[in-house]
Amino acid sequence: HCLPHLRFLTLSANKLRAVPALAFLRRLTLLDLSLNEIATLDASAAAASAWPPAVTILDLSGNPCTAQADYRQTVLAQVPGLKVLDGKAVNGEEEDDDDEKEEAADENKAATGSSSSQTRPSTAADLQQQIVQQTQEFLDEVHTRTLGIRQACSARRSEADLEHRQRSSDLQRILLHTPGLQEKRQQLRA
């Protein structure tokens, strides 16, 4: 599939009527579907598999589906790694089940001596800082790749220019040393 490294996608205000199947975007962390026409969210397992697996920030605000009675619970059940929904941190009762699972996992890790290299943000400020850091890392990566592409293009442009000059020089030598061409050239000038 295309765009395997895409991390941020904004489809805001595109008159979408359903959540598009984007599970193939394996690295997508931010998905903005706000201000569309998504009326309902399908709570089926098939619908849950349509979400990109790495999404941590999702915005569906401004869609009719947000008025569903079980809207947040449906989204959180379908997108388990979600940290921000519609600009609000996922916390409190919404995470109770997840917190219990994490506590059990932490106790198990403590018992086995293993530790996690990635910690979950404890406050909205921590979450915001994590988002800023991820965005900066992404922009740094884009900048590095852009510089590499520019350098490659510049090198290719230099090679093409040198090749053009070489061929022009070769062509001039051929024209100058071909019998009869100089006379025809002088006739054309006159």
Side-chain angles (χ1 to χ4, degrees):
H1 287 196
C2 61
L3 306 173
H5 301 288
L6 187 68
R7 293 185 187 173
F8 303 94
L9 179 61
T10 300
L11 295 172
S12 181
N14 276 290
K15 298 184 180 183
L16 297 176
R17 294 176 186 254
V19 174
L22 299 171
F24 66 92
L25 298 173
R26 310 289 302 160
R27 293 188 180 182
L28 191 70
T29 57
L30 183 145
L31 178 58
D32 182 0
L33 296 171
S34 63
L35 304 171
N36 279 293
E37 299 172 3
I38 302 169
T40 59
L41 292 176
D42 186 355
S44 71
S49 67
W51 295 98
V55 167
T56 56
I57 303 167
L58 175 63
D59 192 351
L60 286 163
S61 62
N63 283 287
C65 66
T66 60
Q68 284 179 227
D70 58 348
Y71 161 71
R72 285 184 73 83
Q73 291 76 22
T74 299
V75 173
L76 294 174
Q78 291 185 358
V79 190
L82 206 56
K83 295 177 182 174
V84 178
L85 176 59
D86 300 338
K88 297 176 187 167
V90 173
N91 58 15
E93 294 175 5
E94 297 170 336
E95 287 189 313
D96 282 345
D97 291 339
D98 290 339
D99 289 342
E100 290 172 14
K101 290 175 188 174
E102 281 184 8
E103 287 173 12
D106 288 344
E107 289 172 7
N108 186 26
K109 286 178 187 174
T112 61
S114 64
S115 63
S116 174
S117 63
Q118 197 174 37
T119 59
R120 186 177 205 156
S122 59
T123 66
D126 291 343
L127 178 60
Q128 184 176 13
Q129 180 61 35
Q130 184 180 25
I131 292 166
V132 168
Q133 181 180 354
Q134 287 176 349
T135 303
Q136 187 59 50
E137 288 170 1
F138 170 73
L139 293 174
D140 289 345
E141 183 180 329
V142 168
H143 179 72
T144 301
R145 287 184 182 189
T146 302
L147 284 177
I149 291 168
R150 283 183 185 164
Q151 289 172 348
C153 288
S154 178
R156 178 61 189 126
R157 201 174 305 122
S158 295
E159 290 171 8
D161 188 43
L162 182 62
E163 186 178 338
H164 174 72
R165 282 190 232 149
Q166 183 75 32
R167 287 185 181 187
S168 293
S169 176
D170 291 346
L171 185 58
Q172 285 178 350
R173 270 187 266 136
I174 290 170
L175 292 175
L176 289 175
H177 299 298
T178 302
L181 283 181
Q182 279 188 328
E183 290 128 15
K184 287 185 182 181
R185 192 171 161 198
Q186 289 173 354
Q187 287 174 355
L188 289 174
R189 286 186 182 170

